[in-house]
Amino acid sequence: MIKNNKILNDGDHSNYCDDEMKKIINDTVTATIAKLKLSGLIRDQGLSAIQKTEQALKLYQTIKQNTNVEESEISKKFIGRIEKAMEILDDDPYRDVISMVYFDGMTREQVAECFDTTVTTISRHKTRLIQKLTPILFSDETIIELFS
């Protein structure tokens, strides 16, 4: 078998297939759990609206990467809702904090380096931005629109 212009022997082929299969299974399970949570079939008890917003932002990339043309309308609405909510932050100089932390998986320390500021400042702005997004993502209207 040839992968990335390298010839793999039988043992390497087996390891490559195992790794690829594990990745496919992991991606499928993650996307399925996210969709079940969105549809209300799996509920996270006791989460505040802020925690739900953070969880939605964390799931955004996974759902976006694993949603194809045949996927459910709920996934498409979820992606659209996150993108629309993010638009309200367009004029905020710290908007990229959300993208860097939740979409790119960067730590607060890494983000602070990029902004040439302290971790405390990044934490404060992240919290402030999440507080702006929460009423948009988890208002009654949003919930009704998402599932209608």
Side-chain angles (χ1 to χ4, degrees):
M1 176 178 174
I2 299 176
K3 180 181 183 311
N4 296 333
N5 296 324
K6 294 181 182 176
I7 298 175
L8 302 176
N9 63 36
D10 288 338
D12 291 339
H13 174 71
S14 176
N15 289 339
Y16 170 74
C17 290
D18 288 346
D19 291 343
E20 285 296 308
M21 188 61 90
K22 287 177 186 175
K23 183 181 180 334
I24 290 168
I25 290 169
N26 185 45
D27 290 349
T28 303
V29 168
T30 302
T32 302
I33 289 171
K35 289 174 187 174
L36 289 171
K37 286 179 180 179
L38 283 174
S39 67
L41 296 174
I42 296 177
R43 297 197 186 266
D44 291 320
Q45 300 298 322
L47 294 180
S48 69
I50 298 286
Q51 290 169 322
K52 289 177 185 176
T53 300
E54 290 182 304
Q55 189 174 55
L57 292 170
K58 289 175 187 174
L59 291 172
Y60 169 79
Q61 283 297 89
T62 301
I63 292 174
K64 188 170 182 175
Q65 290 171 354
N66 291 305
T67 299
N68 57 38
V69 178
E70 300 88 31
E71 293 289 340
S72 74
E73 283 299 310
I74 292 175
S75 295
K76 292 176 188 174
K77 286 181 181 180
F78 172 79
I79 291 166
R81 179 53 76 176
I82 296 285
E83 290 172 351
K84 185 171 177 137
M86 290 295 292
E87 288 175 7
I88 69 157
L89 305 179
D90 282 348
D91 294 332
D92 194 295
Y94 285 91
R95 177 201 190 280
D96 289 336
V97 169
I98 298 296
S99 299
M100 295 166 103
V101 171
Y102 294 102
F103 305 158
D104 301 334
M106 294 174 71
T107 65
R108 291 176 303 155
E109 290 79 8
Q110 292 169 324
V111 176
E113 283 182 38
C114 291
F115 278 90
D116 193 30
T117 191
T118 66
V119 173
T120 302
T121 299
I122 293 303
S123 294
R124 249 186 300 121
H125 286 292
K126 180 181 80 76
T127 299
R128 179 181 58 77
L129 294 169
I130 292 294
Q131 288 172 341
K132 280 186 171 182
L133 293 172
T134 298
I136 295 164
L137 292 174
F138 289 98
S139 68
D140 291 342
E141 180 183 338
T142 300
I143 302 300
I144 290 167
E145 182 179 326
L146 188 62
F147 290 102
S148 64

